[in-house]
């Protein structure tokens, strides 16, 4: 075997390695960009310190079936005495850990997730503004929220009448009050 | 900043030793009823027994018999009467106090707004005159009256506190004493009628005096005093011991500032939340920076993600910065230097491909360009082994 042959084989090997290194990311996985992109967007709004486990599970089931992205949204309420664009650190202290908990659980199910935060004079106003700003294919809410803390029955009726997209309202099961909260969050967020 | 530029600085005060300024001790509490006035009166008696000339410049007993009883034995400067909109109001008589010239003056409710027609709009301005006359002052203040905390407390309680004072007044107090009791104990006092008259108890319990409000206010008060002590300690150590210019450097060193590097991708929200939480724990300000490539266009998805990031920044009280550059490291270093950042928070980089693998990682480049600035890489907790599954 001549020296030229050895050089050509070695150079080909190096070029092949560089090409493989360029096209394949570490661990041999396909880059995430080449995975099919989710097209449907499922909004999962909440206001309190926990969300219904049934709503969460329904969102995950639908997202898996429809190749959708779950968008948990914390609805923050701005008191009338403050400007609408005011920071809300106290509410965020409870809302952000819950967003993190929901994101972690959704991600561990292999479902894409992207959080949102809505801000308004009431939970309904915050949701209204969120729906005005972005399109969501489906909205999943639970009817078992504390009406003093979260979406009231009036808000749910408004949602059915006025909100675009499909609305899924889950009635509470009397024997199932499981909830997802920030308790037991993996690490600090 | 030099002391000449800032007459309020301790350096400036120490530069004018010819006229002794009075010494102010401020009793700070989370809410009415914790015992600030009571403690002020107790200390007034102790000073009187030690032979000092003590007077009460202004006392608000709010109808509390125990407070009124404790005030007995301490001479009180009569209040001045002011006519305002066909009403007779009673205010602290500043001129009478200055004429009386005691060694120590007790002035309740430092954040009070005076009736129109008096020398000053606010009582803390009266107190400044008293201190300037060389009279020591004991005074009281609730934490919700501090200007910088006003919005936060309104959000917390839904009640806008109208009477506020600049935070600098707290900084100017020579001593800040926190009067602390547990929220449960304060509610017990309230229910027993030791804070407000019986007819006001129910309204108070249903509005401001809720246990979650009190717990949060207590935390704010504790943090405020801790920060005050920290700032004072550093300044005191430096002033006079080395060049005075170090004092202004120290003030800068007390404040932490976080800079989180973001991109308009879904994972950025998690990074922002982590950075915000760290900023909260450090009592620091948070900036978010996206270094955008020159002429870079955004897809609809990325525009939505960017809008969501801006909304998140606004709700959290962070500042969102968008800078254009093709050299991320240099731009981050420039912004960090401009903003005085002490921490850089970055996410895990996307896997590099091809020759990009040979590049030095961003975190390392930042550490080289920004000596003395901490760099933190935020992990994705959902990827952690053993993480909780639903």
């Amino acid at each position: 075997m001549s020296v030229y042959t050895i050089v050509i084989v070695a150079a080909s090997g190096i070029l092949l390695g560089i090409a493989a290194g360029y096209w394949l990311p570490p661990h041999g996985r396909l880059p995430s960009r080449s995975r099919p992109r989710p097209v449907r967007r499922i909004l999962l709004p909440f206001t309190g310190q926990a969300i219904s486990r049934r709503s969460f599970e329904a969102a995950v089931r639908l997202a898996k079936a429809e190749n959708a992205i779950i968008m948990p949204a914390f609805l923050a309420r701005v008191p009338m005495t403050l400007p609408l664009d005011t920071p809300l650190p106290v509410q965020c202290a409870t809302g952000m850990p819950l967003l993190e908990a929901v994101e972690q659980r959704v991600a561990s199910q292999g479902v894409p997730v992207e959080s949102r935060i809505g801000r308004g004079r009431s939970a309904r106003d915050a949701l209204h503004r969120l729906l005005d700003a972005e399109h969501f294919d489906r909205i999943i809410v639970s009817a078992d929220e504390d009406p003093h803390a979260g979406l009231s029955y009036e808000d749910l009726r408004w949602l059915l009448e006025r909100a675009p997209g499909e609305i899924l309202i889950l009635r509470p099961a009397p024997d199932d009050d499981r909830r997802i909260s920030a308790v037991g969050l993996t690490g600090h967020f | 900043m030099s002391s000449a530029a800032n007459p309020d600085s301790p350096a400036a005060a120490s530069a004018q030793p010819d006229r002794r300024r009075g010494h102010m001790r401020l009793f700070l509490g989370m809410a009415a009823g914790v015992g600030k006035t009571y403690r002020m009166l107790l200390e007034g008696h102790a000073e009187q027994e030690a032979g000092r000339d003590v007077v009460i410049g202004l006392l608000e007993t709010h109808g509390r018999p125990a407070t009124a009883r404790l005030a007995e034995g301490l001479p009180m400067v009569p209040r001045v009467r002011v006519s305002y909109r066909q009403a007779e109001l009673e205010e602290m008589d500043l001129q009478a106090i200055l004429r009386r010239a005691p060694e120590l003056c007790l002035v309740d409710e430092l954040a009070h707004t005076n009736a129109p027609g008096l020398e000053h709009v606010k009582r803390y301005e009266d107190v400044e005159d008293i201190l300037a006359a060389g009279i020591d002052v004991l005074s009281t203040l609730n934490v919700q009256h501090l200007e910088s905390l006003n919005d936060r407390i309104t959000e917390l309680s839904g009640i806008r506190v109208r009477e506020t004072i600049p935070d600098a007044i707290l900084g100017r107090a020579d001593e800040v004493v926190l009067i602390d009791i547990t929220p449960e104990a304060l509610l017990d006092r309230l229910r027993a009628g030791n804070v407000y008259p019986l007819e006001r108890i129910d309204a108070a319990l249903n509005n401001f005096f809720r246990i979650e409000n009190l717990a949060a206010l207590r935390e704010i008060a504790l943090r405020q005093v801790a920060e005050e002590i920290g700032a004072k300690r550093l300044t005191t150590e430096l002033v006079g011991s080395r060049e005075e210019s170090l004092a202004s450097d120290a003030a800068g060193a007390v404040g932490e500032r976080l800079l989180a590097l973001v991109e308009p991708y879904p994972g950025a929200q998690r990074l922002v939340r982590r950075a915000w939480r760290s900023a909260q724990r450090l009592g620091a300000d948070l900036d978010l920076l996206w270094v955008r490539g020159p002429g870079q266009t955004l897809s609809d998805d990325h525009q939505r993600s960017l809008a969501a990031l801006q909304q998140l920044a606004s709700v959290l009280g962070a500042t969102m910065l968008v800078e254009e550059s093709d050299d991320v490291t240099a731009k981050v270093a420039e912004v960090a230097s401009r903003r005085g950042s002490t921490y850089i928070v970055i996410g895990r980089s996307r896997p590099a491909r091809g020759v990009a693998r040979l590049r030095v990682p961003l975190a390392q480049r930042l550490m080289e360009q920004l000596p003395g600035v901490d760099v933190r890489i935020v992990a994705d907790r959902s990827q952690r082994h053993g993480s909780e599954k639903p």
Side-chain angles (χ1 to χ4, degrees):
Chain A
M1 191 182 290
S2 69
V3 174
Y4 292 115
T5 312
I6 292 170
V7 169
I8 289 168
V9 168
S12 305
I14 289 167
L15 288 174
L16 199 64
I18 290 172
Y22 181 78
W23 288 110
L24 289 175
H27 318 302
R29 282 190 294 108
L30 281 173
S32 57
R33 274 190 299 188
S34 62
R35 288 184 208 146
R37 281 187 47 73
V39 288
R40 291 179 68 81
R41 294 149 61 87
I42 298 175
L43 181 66
L44 190 59
F46 65 91
T47 58
Q49 297 182 13
I51 65 168
S52 149
R53 184 81 164 241
R54 295 186 81 212
S55 306
F56 173 81
E57 287 173 351
V60 170
R61 274 199 306 276
L62 284 166
K64 282 182 173 173
E66 300 177 345
N67 187 33
I69 183 167
I70 292 181
M71 310 192 75
F74 173 58
L75 306 177
R77 277 165 292 188
V78 187
M80 296 300 285
T81 47
L82 294 177
L84 194 56
D85 60 353
T86 200
L88 301 165
V90 178
Q91 288 179 61
C92 288
T94 56
M96 295 299 109
L98 184 53
L99 262 184
E100 180 72 17
V102 173
E103 268 198 15
Q104 286 192 13
R105 283 170 179 267
V106 173
S108 70
Q109 299 279 306
V111 174
V113 59
E114 184 171 356
S115 295
R116 289 289 183 267
I117 187 156
R119 181 164 51 177
R121 294 297 180 192
S122 63
R124 185 198 298 185
D125 184 37
L127 187 55
H128 194 172
R129 290 170 190 273
L130 201 58
L131 296 173
D132 277 351
E134 286 191 60
H135 168 75
F136 300 96
D137 298 284
R138 197 166 265 169
I139 303 163
I140 299 181
V141 289
S142 170
D144 65 343
E145 292 269 15
D146 174 358
H148 297 293
L151 292 170
S152 66
Y153 292 115
E154 281 301 310
D155 294 333
L156 296 179
R157 183 189 295 170
W158 168 85
L159 199 59
L160 284 169
E161 289 173 354
R162 305 282 298 278
E166 297 170 19
I167 316 295
L168 183 60
I169 298 175
L170 293 171
R171 186 202 293 266
D175 56 343
D176 182 10
D177 60 352
R178 291 176 303 157
R179 286 172 165 263
I180 291 173
S181 70
V183 176
L185 195 64
T186 308
H188 89 78
F189 74 96
Chain B
M1 189 188 298
S2 72
S3 59
N6 180 7
D8 298 333
S9 71
S14 63
Q16 299 173 343
D18 47 323
R19 180 161 195 177
R20 176 193 169 271
R21 185 179 187 268
H23 180 103
M24 179 158 79
R25 183 179 299 162
L26 188 58
F27 299 98
L28 182 74
M30 63 178 170
V34 296
K36 301 178 299 297
T37 303
Y38 202 85
R39 174 72 180 271
M40 179 179 76
L41 290 168
L42 281 176
E43 296 209 6
H45 277 292
E47 293 285 339
Q48 190 184 45
E49 282 164 22
R52 299 189 71 196
D53 179 19
V54 180
V55 300
I56 296 175
L58 193 285
L59 176 69
E60 296 287 1
T61 64
H62 297 288
R64 296 168 197 158
T67 308
R69 272 198 303 276
L70 192 61
E72 289 169 9
L74 288 171
M76 196 175 298
V77 177
R79 297 186 186 198
V80 63
R81 297 177 77 83
V82 183
S83 297
Y84 178 62
R85 290 185 179 172
Q86 299 173 332
E88 285 283 310
L89 303 174
E90 289 190 340
E91 295 286 358
M92 183 171 81
D93 192 341
L94 173 63
Q95 294 308 322
I97 293 169
L98 295 175
R99 280 196 303 274
R100 170 73 172 72
E103 287 178 72
L104 174 66
C105 182
L106 277 52
V107 180
D108 212 359
E109 299 197 352
L110 188 64
H112 173 76
T113 304
N114 288 330
L118 291 179
E119 288 93 338
H120 299 300
V121 176
K122 304 288 290 190
R123 185 170 291 160
Y124 70 78
E125 296 172 298
D126 294 341
V127 166
E128 279 298 308
D129 284 1
I130 297 172
L131 290 167
I135 301 167
D136 294 341
V137 171
L138 300 184
S139 192
T140 64
L141 177 72
N142 283 329
V143 72
Q144 71 261 32
H145 296 293
L146 286 173
E147 216 162 62
S148 66
L149 301 174
N150 196 241
D151 279 355
R152 191 170 173 199
I153 285 163
T154 305
E155 186 212 340
L156 181 82
S157 62
I159 296 166
R160 167 71 77 184
V161 177
R162 301 280 171 203
E163 297 193 313
T164 60
I165 67 169
D167 292 30
I169 300 300
L170 188 68
R172 278 207 283 266
D174 299 280
E175 292 176 62
V176 178
V177 180
L178 181 69
I179 307 298
D180 182 44
I181 62 170
T182 64
E184 292 80 2
L186 179 56
L187 288 176
D188 287 345
R189 279 188 191 178
L190 182 70
R191 290 190 191 100
N194 294 332
V195 179
Y196 292 129
L198 290 175
E199 62 273 15
R200 287 180 58 193
I201 293 175
D202 280 346
L205 284 169
N206 290 328
N207 292 303
F208 197 79
F209 282 79
R210 285 176 292 165
I211 196 143
E212 62 271 22
N213 277 358
L214 295 176
L217 282 170
R218 187 185 187 206
E219 184 185 338
I220 290 169
L222 289 166
R223 279 180 187 278
Q224 194 67 38
V225 172
E227 282 170 17
E228 201 56 43
I229 290 168
K232 273 209 165 68
R233 182 173 53 79
L234 257 177
T235 311
T236 309
E237 280 170 4
L238 289 166
V239 170
S241 61
R242 297 176 64 190
E243 302 98 88
E244 287 183 352
S245 61
L246 280 178
S248 56
D249 295 342
V254 172
E256 300 281 6
R257 193 168 193 105
L258 275 74
L259 178 66
L261 308 191
V262 296
E263 287 181 294
Y265 291 99
Q269 296 232 347
R270 188 175 304 129
L271 183 139
V272 173
R273 289 198 300 268
R274 292 269 183 86
W276 176 73
R277 189 67 179 137
S278 297
Q280 291 273 299
R281 286 178 176 151
L282 290 165
D285 292 323
L286 173 64
D287 298 318
L288 310 179
L289 171 65
W290 174 38
V291 181
R292 179 180 189 154
Q296 184 180 353
T297 54
L298 291 180
S299 67
D300 287 349
D301 277 353
H302 287 158
Q303 277 177 1
R304 276 197 293 265
S305 292
L306 181 61
L309 265 181
Q310 286 166 332
Q311 169 83 334
L312 181 63
S314 168
V315 173
L316 296 177
T319 306
M320 178 90 194
L321 308 164
V322 179
E323 299 274 347
E324 202 163 286
S325 174
D326 53 4
D327 185 345
V328 175
T329 316
K331 183 52 77 177
V332 173
E334 181 207 315
V335 172
S337 170
R338 194 173 71 219
R339 306 284 295 177
S341 308
T342 54
Y343 280 79
I344 307 282
V345 183
I346 60 175
R348 183 170 170 265
S349 303
R350 286 189 295 280
R353 292 185 301 166
V355 289
R357 292 180 180 188
L358 302 174
R359 292 193 71 186
V360 177
L362 176 64
Q364 199 170 330
R365 277 181 280 146
L366 289 173
M367 288 178 77
E368 283 166 7
Q369 291 241 355
L370 294 163
V373 175
D374 293 342
V375 178
R376 180 180 167 201
I377 303 172
V378 170
D380 181 355
R381 299 275 185 184
S382 66
Q383 304 288 320
R384 199 165 78 164
H385 293 297
S387 65
E388 195 186 352
K389 300 281 191 287

